[in-house]
């Protein structure tokens, strides 16, 4: 799985995509009234019908079942447009990226033939039911139970699910519940199973929609199952195999957040630059002031990096076979959610007080953006995932060497000392990215060198971390957070280097601007990485942070006396 | 703040007197403050304010009380008996001992003699009697007592006096007064400082002691992270609630009052005293108890004393012995839920064969002693098995597993009721 060259789609596919994109853009620009949707907290049926007619309810469903049968890359491209309205984007994503994905990737042919056609046209809406009041990020503590009936033909489902997008309208739900499984040793164990549950089965009640800060048009509510009869044909995969299904579904949908964020930021740049160009203060237009220019540069950089990462990941996922891109997708999600939040905030700032009012869409975009850091795996959880997956992989390779070091083998110690001395004296690292046979274009040599340096430094830091903590690194969340941040930056640098190299090589329009963006981003990321890596080598505030947190949480209040207090 | 202003005025007058070089005859100052020559006698009947009193003393003369008559008799009779100042206090309050009585005695002494003969012994006696009158924590009383010292007489006036510990007994007495304030943890205020400056001067031992108190006391005021208030609740249920939350120190722990103190009259007409039972348990303890193995017993132990300043209360524990290492059951991790490759969000365990490095290994601690779990605590009016069984049955409502676990009562023959240190009649009933 290589990141160079940047994945691309064929000319015919690109033409097809253009055909699809145009009507969708037209629809969103003309027929979608985002302000009204946000104000009334409901998507009007005409809009939903329009979406259904465009086929947006079954983008990735194969054509034989009535969907558009598009690849991940094209799904990402359409995501750029649907993200213009947050509520619609979330409704569509909840329906297809997670709701019916289970049937799509793990369902058998009978299930596909039965459910997918209606889901693809949007006649039935799908929802994904995993979260419960007692289990949000900790998906292993699910309490919903499914017990087999006497005749062995049905499961009785009992439990409550919470914060289910599309919960109020969904007709088909992918529900995860615990079932008792007798494993090969004869022991009875509780394992999670995935079920396709129709509202028509009975016993399914939806609560009232939650009043939310953002994405108010999307319906989010509680669903209760009371002795819902589910036939055993509706089990997705096998009984007890729900975990893998859930993991695959969740890991698959994340990458589209990158392109959605990028699309939204591009739109915001258009709106905001218009304002900055026309508004005049101190006899100059806002766009002439350095701090405003800084904001626009931030927005442009973020959009650039987000779309590079998203399409790189989508392209990798589209390769033949079923490559596991969960790590990359998680990195895209974390970067995009945080990048979108800062960019929308900055765009609002450019408008100042006007941006704060409801007359302009910025406050709506800001509110809709906040959820990006929370759903589909909170950013904290995903950072842990990114860091630990990397550690796991690195650990396997380095375990032997570290054990030798701990034993105090003289030869190994000298070797390491020698390497450290050499690193101090000679600072060049060459992984082969640049140079005669390099894959990176010569205009980007400097950035690529910085990337290589970061990667090498990161490697040695990981080694020292494993030496220090071993397998207990799972508990060191502050350390893992920094590791994850470095990894995300490295992946982002890879994505932009790859994309820009391709752009220059084939001569895309404005590729010199891309070179500029790449070099700027890489330099910034290089410095951030250096700072994080220095902190990781014992020069950080982690111990103090933990101590402060402990004292505050023990008292459950602010600890210091008031500055005006006296003792006498 | 009248004291500093008056102090300034009197100091000015003193300077004026020295400047003029002769004793000042009657000088009438604004605000009605009179001055008299040092030589004139002070008579009882006259309404002149004595020179050696501080300006804050009242000038009104109430009718002579019995006490004053007694004192007058004594001085006029000029008995040769050795009369200690303690007797004054004894006679002042035969039935009740209050702050007003104490103040009255000090007033009487102050007005008796302009030269304040025997003021040092009087102050020592007063300091000793303060706890009896219950005023040992009252700063105003100390200031009033300090007021007994004659002003400006004890201040050194030239370098020889300054060199040779001027008026050593009086300085020692002043230091002892401040020492008693320090023992009871009182912070002196600016009135104390003004009085000390007037009486002893700026560079005297009592002033130095005052300065030391003012340096250290603010630093120590908040040294105790868990201070006990001086006034404890008198209601036994409230006292039990306070002390149980103090012991538990867990913000999640919940107090339950299983029984309020009451008196019942049963059929034969006997009075049955029902003592209070107040218990405390936190959610963590509750879940630990739910996981307790029913084959092992739990013990009700007590009473253990808890001292809150001068009050001792007793509490009882519900605890179990620590599980021997061979029987410890490791919580099984369902590998599917938290294995590295099959986690839903992130791996809870990494399958690596590497251990933590020595420099970061804080697992060994000398203070960590393996102890058995404590499941709940309670305070009860009576520490007998019947009352405590009531507590256990009350606990059972929230922890049903208690019904299956054998409960062993290991009670000492301890005190049966709340004890206070004053008037402590030790009821160590034998069992």
């Amino acid at each position: 799985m290589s990141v160079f060259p940047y994945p691309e789609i064929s000319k015919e596919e690109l033409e097809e995509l253009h055909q699809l994109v145009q009507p969708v853009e037209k629809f969103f620009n003309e027929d979608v009234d985002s302000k009204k949707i946000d104000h009334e907290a409901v998507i009007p049926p005409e809009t939903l019908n329009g979406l259904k007619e465009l086929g947006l309810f079954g983008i990735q469903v194969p054509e034989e079942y009535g969907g558009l049968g598009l690849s991940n890359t094209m799904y990402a491209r359409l995501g750029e447009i649907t993200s213009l309205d947050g509520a619609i984007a979330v409704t569509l994503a909840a329906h297809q990226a997670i709701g019916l994905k289970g049937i799509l990737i793990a369902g058998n042919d009978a299930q596909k033939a039965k459910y997918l056609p209606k889901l693809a046209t949007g006649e039935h809406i799908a929802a994904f039911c995993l979260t419960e009041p007692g289990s949000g990020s900790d998906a292993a503590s699910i309490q919903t139970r499914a017990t087999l009936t006497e005749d062995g033909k049905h499961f009785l489902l009992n439990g409550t699910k919470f914060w289910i997008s599309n919960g109020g309208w969904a007709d088909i739900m992918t529900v995860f519940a615990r079932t008792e499984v007798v494993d090969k040793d004869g022991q009875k164990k509780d394992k999670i199973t995935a079920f396709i549950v129709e509202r028509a089965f009975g016993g399914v009640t939806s609560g009232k929609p939650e009043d939310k800060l953002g994405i108010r048009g999307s319906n989010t509510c509680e669903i209760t199952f009371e002795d819902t009869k589910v036939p055993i044909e509706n089990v997705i995969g096998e009984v007890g195999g729900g975990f893998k299904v859930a993991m695959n579904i969740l890991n698959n949908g994340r990458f589209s957040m990158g392109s959605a964020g990028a699309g939204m930021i591009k739109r915001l740049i258009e709106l905001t630059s218009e304002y900055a160009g026309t508004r005049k203060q101190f006899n100059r237009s806002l766009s002439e002031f350095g701090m405003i220019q800084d904001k626009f540069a931030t927005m442009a950089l973020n959009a650039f990096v987000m779309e590079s990462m998203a399409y790189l990941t989508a392209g990798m996922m589209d390769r033949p076979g079923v490559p596991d891109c969960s790590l990359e997708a998680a990195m895209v999600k974390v970067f995009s959610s945080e990048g979108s939040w800062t960019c929308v905030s900055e765009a609002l700032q450019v408008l100042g007080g006007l941006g704060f009012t409801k007359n302009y869409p910025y406050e709506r975009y800001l509110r809709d953006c906040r959820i990006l850091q929370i759903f589909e795996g909170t950013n904290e959880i995903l950072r842990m995932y990114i860091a630990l997956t990397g550690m796991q992989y690195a650990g396997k390779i380095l375990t032997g060497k570290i054990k030798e070091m701990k034993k105090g083998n003289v030869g190994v110690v000298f070797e390491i000392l020698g390497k450290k001395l050499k690193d101090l004296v000679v600072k060049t690292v060459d992984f082969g990215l640049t140079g005669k046979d390099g894959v990176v274009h010569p205009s980007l040599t400097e950035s690529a060198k910085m990337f290589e340096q970061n990667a090498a430094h990161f490697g040695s830091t990981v080694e020292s971390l494993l030496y220090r903590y071993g397998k207990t690194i799972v508990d060191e969340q502050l350390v893992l957070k920094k590791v994850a941040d470095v990894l995300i930056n490295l992946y982002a640098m890879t994505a932009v280097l790859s994309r820009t190299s391709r752009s220059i090589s084939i001569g895309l329009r404005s590729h010199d601007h891309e070179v500029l963006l790449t070099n700027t981003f890489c330099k910034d990321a290089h410095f951030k990485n250096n700072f994080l890596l220095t902190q990781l080598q014992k020069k950080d505030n982690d111990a103090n942070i933990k101590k402060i947190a402990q004292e505050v949480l023990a008292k459950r209040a602010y600890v210091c006396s008031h500055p005006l207090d006296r003792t006498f | 703040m009248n004291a500093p202003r008056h102090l300034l005025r009197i100091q000015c007058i003193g300077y004026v007197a020295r400047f003029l070089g002769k004793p000042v005859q009657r000088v009438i100052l604004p605000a009605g403050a009179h001055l008299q020559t040092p030589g004139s006698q002070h008579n009882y009947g006259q309404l002149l304010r004595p020179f050696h009193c501080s300006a804050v003393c009242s000038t009104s003369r109430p009718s002579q009380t019995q006490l004053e008559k007694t004192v007058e008799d004594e001085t006029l009779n000029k008995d040769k008996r050795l009369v200690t100042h303690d007797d004054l206090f004894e006679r002042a309050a035969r039935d009740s001992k209050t702050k007003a009585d104490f103040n009255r005695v000090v007033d009487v002494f102050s007005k008796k003699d302009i030269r304040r003969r025997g003021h040092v012994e009087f102050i020592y006696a007063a300091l000793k009697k303060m706890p009896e009158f219950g005023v040992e924590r009252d700063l105003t009383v100390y200031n009033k007592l300090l007021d007994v010292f004659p002003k400006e007489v004890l201040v050194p006036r030239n370098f020889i006096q300054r060199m040779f510990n001027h008026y050593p007994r009086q300085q020692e007495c002043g230091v002892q007064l401040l020492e008693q304030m320090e023992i009871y943890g009182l912070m002196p205020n600016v009135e104390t400082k003004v009085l000390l400056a007037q009486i002893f001067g700026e560079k005297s031992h009592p002033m130095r002691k005052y300065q030391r108190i003012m340096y250290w006391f603010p630093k120590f005021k908040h040294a105790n992270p868990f201070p006990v208030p001086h006034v404890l609740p008198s209601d036994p249920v409230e006292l039990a609630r306070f002390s149980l939350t103090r012991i538990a120190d867990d913000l999640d722990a919940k107090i339950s009052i299983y029984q309020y103190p009451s008196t019942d009259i049963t059929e034969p007409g006997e009075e049955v005293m029902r003592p209070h039972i107040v218990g405390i348990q936190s959610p963590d303890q509750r879940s630990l108890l739910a996981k307790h193995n029913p084959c092992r017993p739990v013990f009700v132990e007590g009473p253990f004393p808890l001292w809150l300043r001068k009050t001792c209360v007793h509490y009882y524990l519900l605890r179990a012995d620590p599980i021997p290492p061979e029987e410890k059951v490791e919580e099984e991790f369902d590998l599917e839920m938290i294995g590295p490759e099959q986690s839903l969000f992130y791996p809870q365990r990494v399958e690596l064969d590497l251990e933590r490095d020595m420099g970061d290994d804080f697992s060994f601690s000398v203070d960590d002693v393996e102890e058995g779990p404590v499941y709940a605590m309670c305070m009860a009016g009576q520490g007998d098995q019947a009352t405590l069984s009531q507590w256990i049955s009350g606990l059972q409502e929230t922890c049903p597993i208690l019904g299956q676990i054998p409960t062993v009562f290991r009670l000492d023959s301890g005190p049966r009721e709340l004890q206070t240190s004053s008037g402590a009649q030790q009821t160590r009933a034998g069992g």
Side-chain angles (χ1 to χ4, degrees):
Chain A
M1 189 163 33
S2 69
V3 290
F4 289 94
Y6 198 74
E8 47 180 32
I9 56 176
S10 69
K11 190 152 186 245
E12 293 80 32
E13 283 179 315
L14 193 57
E15 296 268 332
E16 200 188 312
L17 198 58
H18 275 311
Q19 302 284 349
L20 277 167
V21 158
Q22 275 184 336
V24 177
E25 265 180 0
K26 189 157 163 283
F27 179 74
F28 268 86
N29 282 331
E30 294 170 12
D31 299 323
V32 171
D33 188 357
S34 302
K35 192 166 168 192
K36 187 157 157 255
I37 293 176
D38 180 72
H39 183 69
E40 297 182 1
V42 79
I43 304 179
E46 311 86 57
T47 321
L48 279 175
N49 281 331
L51 292 167
K52 286 175 196 173
E53 278 162 29
L54 285 166
L56 291 174
F57 273 79
I59 299 180
Q60 288 195 284
V61 176
E63 283 175 348
E64 63 221 27
Y65 297 111
L68 294 176
L70 299 178
S71 61
N72 288 321
T73 319
M74 299 203 246
Y75 177 67
R77 179 65 185 91
L78 287 172
E80 275 190 42
I81 314 170
T82 55
S83 70
L84 291 174
D85 184 282
I88 294 182
V90 167
T91 308
L92 288 176
H95 168 83
Q96 51 189 327
I98 45 178
L100 54 81
K101 220 25 148 13
I103 311 175
L104 201 55
I105 52 178
N108 57 33
D109 291 324
Q111 290 165 339
K112 285 187 190 174
K114 185 173 175 196
Y115 292 111
L116 285 181
K118 291 234 172 87
L119 287 169
T121 54
E123 209 179 307
H124 285 164
I125 302 207
F128 183 78
C129 304
L130 176 62
T131 318
E132 292 182 15
S135 95
S137 293
D138 178 16
S141 59
I142 291 181
Q143 300 290 325
T144 309
R145 283 215 80 96
T147 39
L148 204 53
T149 50
E150 313 270 293
D151 55 4
K153 292 221 177 99
H154 293 268
F155 276 99
L156 285 177
L157 198 58
N158 275 299
T160 324
K161 296 288 184 185
F162 198 44
W163 287 335
I164 307 299
S165 300
N166 297 344
W169 318 321
D171 306 295
I172 315 260
M173 292 160 267
T174 311
V175 183
F176 290 84
R178 282 190 179 270
T179 46
E180 219 175 53
V181 163
V182 181
D183 68 358
K184 44 191 190 299
D185 300 337
Q187 267 196 328
K188 282 200 179 159
K189 273 193 171 174
D190 268 347
K191 292 217 167 165
I192 298 189
T193 312
F195 297 95
I196 309 175
V197 177
E198 290 178 43
R199 197 178 277 267
F201 289 163
V204 179
T205 36
S206 316
K208 69 174 183 54
E210 299 274 345
D211 195 9
K212 302 186 292 290
L213 170 69
I215 53 167
R216 288 168 58 82
S218 149
N219 176 290
T220 311
C221 63
E222 198 181 291
I223 300 189
T224 320
F225 298 101
E226 268 182 53
D227 282 332
T228 311
K229 258 184 158 176
V230 184
I232 51 171
E233 298 87 38
N234 277 21
V235 173
I236 302 182
E238 46 179 51
V239 178
F243 220 74
K244 272 213 177 98
V245 175
M247 196 186 67
N248 284 332
I249 298 174
L250 288 169
N251 288 341
N252 264 312
R254 291 195 180 120
F255 69 96
S256 65
M257 204 177 285
S259 57
M264 187 184 62
I265 297 180
K266 286 194 264 194
R267 184 62 182 274
L268 279 175
I269 294 180
E270 283 170 24
L271 293 171
T272 323
S273 50
E274 171 123 14
Y275 178 79
T278 46
R279 165 107 174 147
K280 275 183 178 287
Q281 283 284 274
F282 308 116
N283 248 335
R284 298 154 75 180
S285 71
L286 284 189
S287 48
E288 293 179 40
F289 292 108
M291 292 212 207
I292 304 290
Q293 290 171 342
D294 179 38
K295 294 186 204 301
F296 279 101
T298 314
M299 288 198 270
L301 276 168
N302 265 314
F304 180 67
V305 176
M306 277 197 247
E307 56 181 17
S308 314
M309 282 168 85
Y311 286 109
L312 177 62
T313 317
M316 284 204 280
M317 283 166 76
D318 279 339
R319 294 232 169 90
V322 189
D324 177 22
C325 296
S326 48
L327 183 60
E328 288 83 357
M331 292 199 270
V332 171
K333 193 259 181 189
V334 173
F335 187 89
S336 313
S337 53
E338 294 185 351
S340 306
W341 177 246
T342 21
C343 284
V344 174
S345 207
E346 296 285 285
L348 199 155
Q349 183 79 7
V350 172
L351 260 78
L354 281 179
F356 205 63
T357 58
K358 290 221 172 197
N359 305 329
Y360 287 79
Y362 297 87
E363 54 86 31
R364 192 183 66 241
Y365 279 120
L366 191 69
R367 281 185 291 115
D368 289 345
C369 252
R370 189 60 185 88
I371 193 70
L372 291 179
Q373 294 179 37
I374 302 173
F375 71 0
E376 293 224 40
T378 54
N379 279 8
E380 285 76 25
I381 293 279
L382 286 181
R383 281 196 159 91
M384 291 291 289
Y385 172 65
I386 295 168
L388 283 172
T389 319
M391 284 290 172
Q392 177 75 19
Y393 180 70
K396 282 210 179 82
I397 302 177
L398 295 169
T399 305
K401 190 164 160 213
I402 294 181
K403 280 204 158 156
E404 289 289 307
M405 267 164 47
K406 290 210 178 192
K407 262 195 266 179
N409 189 340
V410 178
V412 176
V413 171
F414 271 125
E415 189 191 312
I416 291 165
L417 276 177
K419 211 168 81 136
K420 278 210 189 331
L421 279 174
K422 197 174 129 223
D423 277 340
L424 282 175
V425 173
V426 178
K427 274 216 165 183
T428 52
V429 179
D430 194 0
F431 286 138
L433 275 180
T434 52
K436 196 158 75 86
D437 292 323
V439 279
V440 175
H441 195 273
S443 326
L444 305 167
T445 316
E446 213 183 286
S447 304
K449 284 264 174 258
M450 286 201 263
F451 170 71
E452 288 179 345
Q453 207 181 62
N454 268 145
H457 192 186
F458 180 60
S460 57
T461 312
V462 164
E463 203 180 299
S464 65
L465 283 176
L466 282 170
Y467 183 93
R468 238 180 106 183
Y469 295 110
K471 65 182 181 224
T472 62
I473 198 159
V474 188
D475 300 319
E476 301 291 322
Q477 287 205 340
L478 291 167
V479 167
L480 289 174
K481 177 180 178 216
K482 297 185 183 81
V483 170
D485 283 338
V486 173
L487 273 169
I488 295 172
N489 283 336
L490 287 175
Y491 185 58
M493 283 205 269
T494 324
V496 294
L497 284 171
S498 167
R499 172 189 172 168
T500 316
S501 297
R502 171 177 174 263
S503 301
I504 307 173
S505 308
I506 60 177
L508 281 181
R509 187 197 299 253
S510 311
H511 65 255
D512 50 344
H513 188 73
E514 289 189 29
V515 171
L516 190 60
L517 287 172
T518 308
N519 284 336
T520 321
F521 178 74
C522 284
K523 199 161 171 192
D524 266 344
H526 174 76
F527 280 122
K528 281 190 208 152
N529 281 349
N530 278 344
F531 177 59
L532 288 164
L533 291 168
T534 320
Q535 276 191 317
L536 280 172
Q537 284 167 355
K538 286 212 187 187
K539 293 182 185 57
D540 58 12
N541 261 333
D542 284 355
N544 284 354
I545 290 178
K546 282 192 197 157
K547 205 161 168 203
I548 297 173
Q550 251 170 14
E551 292 183 17
V552 169
L553 289 168
K555 227 180 142 193
R556 291 194 193 168
Y558 181 62
V559 175
C560 305
S561 332
H562 199 265
L564 297 176
D565 275 342
R566 291 177 65 108
T567 43
F568 71 94
Chain B
M1 207 73 96
N2 272 324
R5 254 186 276 135
H6 281 286
L7 168 66
L8 214 50
R9 223 181 275 162
I10 289 172
Q11 278 184 339
C12 289
I13 293 163
Y15 294 143
V16 163
R18 262 175 253 145
F19 175 68
L20 291 177
K22 52 185 178 1
V24 177
Q25 294 295 326
R26 289 175 64 102
V27 176
I28 303 197
L29 292 169
H34 292 235
L35 263 189
Q36 265 198 317
T37 55
S40 61
Q41 286 292 327
H42 169 70
N43 295 319
Y44 269 122
Q46 291 184 13
L47 275 168
L48 294 166
R49 186 174 73 76
F51 175 79
H52 290 288
C53 268
S54 142
V56 282
C57 272
S58 71
T59 51
S60 60
R61 293 289 315 251
S63 56
Q64 288 192 350
T65 59
Q66 180 62 32
L67 180 61
E68 284 155 9
K69 287 209 185 82
T70 327
V71 169
E72 206 185 298
D73 286 336
E74 278 188 16
T75 46
L76 291 178
N77 288 342
K78 286 191 179 34
D79 261 347
K80 296 285 192 228
R81 281 183 297 144
L82 183 66
V83 177
T84 56
H85 293 286
D86 288 357
D87 287 353
L88 270 176
F89 286 94
E90 286 300 317
R91 268 183 273 193
R94 263 173 251 272
D95 37 6
S96 76
K97 296 190 170 185
T98 60
K99 178 174 166 180
D101 296 321
F102 191 90
N103 283 345
R104 211 160 22 100
V105 178
V106 175
D107 278 334
V108 163
F109 179 84
S110 304
K111 294 189 179 86
K112 186 174 68 170
D113 182 6
I114 184 168
R115 289 186 179 77
R116 305 270 171 89
R117 283 191 206 284
H119 63 270
V120 174
E121 283 86 9
F122 177 76
I123 291 180
Y124 276 126
L127 286 176
K128 224 168 46 163
K129 287 284 177 187
M130 271 175 132
E132 285 172 25
F133 281 75
V135 291
E136 73 272 17
R137 283 188 196 288
D138 200 341
L139 186 58
T140 44
V141 174
Y142 282 102
N143 284 339
K144 199 171 166 69
L145 206 53
L146 203 49
D147 210 17
V148 171
F149 279 110
K151 314 288 177 299
E152 292 173 32
V153 187
L154 310 179
V155 177
R157 271 183 272 197
N158 56 41
F159 75 100
I160 304 172
Q161 288 179 347
R162 272 191 285 274
M163 239 179 358
F164 285 104
N165 199 11
H166 202 47
Y167 280 109
R169 304 270 172 272
Q170 280 81 346
Q171 290 213 21
E172 178 62 32
C173 182
V175 167
Q176 281 305 313
L177 196 148
L178 286 171
E179 177 75 21
Q180 175 144 340
M181 272 169 66
E182 197 180 345
I183 287 172
Y184 286 106
L186 290 180
M187 184 97 84
N189 63 9
V190 74
E191 202 184 317
T192 322
K193 177 175 186 181
V194 163
L195 279 168
L196 286 175
Q198 276 182 307
I199 299 168
F200 295 106
E202 297 285 339
K203 302 233 189 222
S204 53
H205 288 291
M207 194 56 159
R208 281 278 178 260
K209 179 151 181 81
Y210 167 85
Q211 284 164 346
R212 281 184 210 116
I213 295 181
M214 290 313 287
Y215 177 78
W216 285 113
F217 266 37
K219 290 193 182 6
F220 289 147
K221 187 161 182 188
H222 298 293
N224 186 357
F226 307 108
V228 181
H230 282 287
V231 180
L232 290 169
S234 51
D235 177 27
V237 174
E238 285 307 313
L239 184 62
R241 188 193 287 264
F242 170 75
S243 12
L244 283 175
T245 33
R246 189 184 172 77
I247 303 174
D249 198 33
D250 187 354
L251 289 166
D252 286 324
K254 260 190 31 149
I255 298 251
S256 346
I257 305 177
Y258 296 105
Q259 191 173 274
Y260 282 94
S262 57
T263 353
D264 274 347
I265 305 189
T266 58
E267 288 124 27
E270 284 176 15
E271 270 199 3
V272 174
M273 274 285 305
R274 290 230 291 254
H276 64 276
I277 308 176
V278 183
I280 190 171
Q281 196 184 39
S282 73
D284 291 336
Q285 286 175 319
R286 200 171 297 155
S287 53
L288 264 180
L289 184 52
K291 281 191 254 175
H292 184 85
N293 185 356
C295 309
R296 305 192 143 270
V298 289
F299 304 101
V300 176
E301 292 184 3
F304 299 105
L306 171 72
W307 282 97
L308 300 164
R309 287 186 196 269
K310 298 243 178 79
T311 330
C312 181
V313 292
H314 296 268
Y315 63 95
Y316 302 86
L317 290 180
L318 178 72
R319 53 171 290 271
D321 280 335
I323 310 174
E326 26 321 327
E327 292 180 32
K328 251 194 215 167
V329 174
E330 274 285 328
E331 276 199 28
E332 273 188 25
F333 296 113
D334 191 351
L335 274 178
E336 190 186 70
M337 302 298 169
I338 33 191
E341 238 111 55
Q342 291 163 313
S343 66
L344 193 46
F345 282 110
Y346 73 89
Q348 301 284 352
R349 287 194 331 181
V350 242
E351 295 295 331
L352 287 178
D353 208 6
L354 296 164
E355 297 295 339
R356 209 174 168 101
D357 195 30
M358 275 198 310
D360 292 295
D361 192 6
F362 302 117
S363 55
F364 175 72
S365 164
V366 190
D367 301 323
D368 268 340
V369 176
E370 178 78 35
E371 280 188 347
V374 173
Y375 294 126
M377 288 185 286
C378 89
M379 284 198 180
Q382 281 163 262
D384 58 341
Q385 190 151 338
T387 328
L388 293 171
S389 313
Q390 249 180 312
W391 169 48
I392 299 289
S393 42
L395 257 185
Q396 212 167 318
E397 284 164 38
T398 44
C399 312
I401 199 173
L402 269 178
Q404 298 149 18
I405 306 179
T407 321
V408 178
F409 286 82
R410 282 194 202 155
L411 302 171
D412 296 332
S413 55
R416 299 291 173 94
E417 53 198 6
L418 280 178
Q419 293 249 337
T420 51
S421 71
S422 58
Q425 308 288 321
Q426 283 277 345
T427 51
R428 279 222 151 238

